[in-house]
């Protein structure tokens, strides 16, 4: 089974959007967990799992908006940013990652 390219683009776009924001440490931990799920879904070609991760990322962005200000926000740790960027490059065809 393979992941639909449009679904992969949507997930990559959500990852990039989140990376461009300042969020709480709790949010970055949940984001890191989602990255693990994205990698597993991509490696196994599991479209249903990838759709679930996209849903979780979308929910995370909504919750983040509501909770911003409850604790100090920061950029993601470098290791999380690096993992996310690697996944974006994996998900998108060459030249589409900007």
């Amino acid at each position: 089974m393979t992941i639909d390219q449009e679904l992969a683009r949507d997930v990559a776009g959500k990852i990039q959007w989140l990376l461009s924001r300042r969020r709480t440490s709790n949010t970055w931990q949940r984001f890191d967990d989602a990255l693990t799920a994205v990698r597993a879904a991509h490696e196994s070609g599991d479209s249903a799992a990838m759709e679930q991760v996209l849903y979780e990322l979308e929910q995370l962005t909504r919750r983040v908006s509501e909770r911003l200000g409850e604790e100090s926000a920061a950029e993601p740790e470098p290791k999380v940013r690096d993992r996310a960027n690697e996944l974006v490059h994996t998900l998108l065809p060459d030249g589409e990652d900007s």
Side-chain angles (χ1 to χ4, degrees):
M1 212 180 337
T2 61
I3 304 292
D4 176 66
Q5 195 56 45
E6 184 176 342
L7 176 57
R9 277 189 208 101
D10 290 346
V11 171
K14 193 61 66 179
I15 290 170
Q16 289 174 315
W17 186 89
L18 280 160
L19 282 177
S20 69
R21 305 302 191 263
R22 294 176 58 86
R23 300 298 180 223
T24 65
S25 60
N26 181 47
T27 299
W28 289 126
Q29 179 57 53
R30 293 172 61 196
F31 178 73
D32 193 35
D33 294 343
L35 295 178
T36 300
V38 168
R39 179 163 305 284
H42 184 263
E43 289 176 354
S44 66
D46 188 341
S47 292
M50 189 68 86
E51 289 174 4
Q52 180 61 39
V53 175
L54 177 58
Y55 174 78
E56 291 170 12
L57 288 169
E58 288 171 350
Q59 292 302 308
L60 182 60
T61 62
R62 290 184 183 115
R63 284 190 215 130
V64 164
S65 298
E66 295 168 5
R67 294 175 185 239
L68 195 58
E70 288 183 17
E71 58 180 279
S72 62
E75 294 182 356
E77 292 182 20
K79 68 177 185 168
V80 173
R81 180 177 294 282
D82 291 345
R83 283 186 67 210
N85 285 327
E86 284 178 25
L87 274 171
V88 167
H89 290 294
T90 299
L91 294 170
L92 296 178
D94 291 338
E96 271 196 46
D97 59 350
S98 13

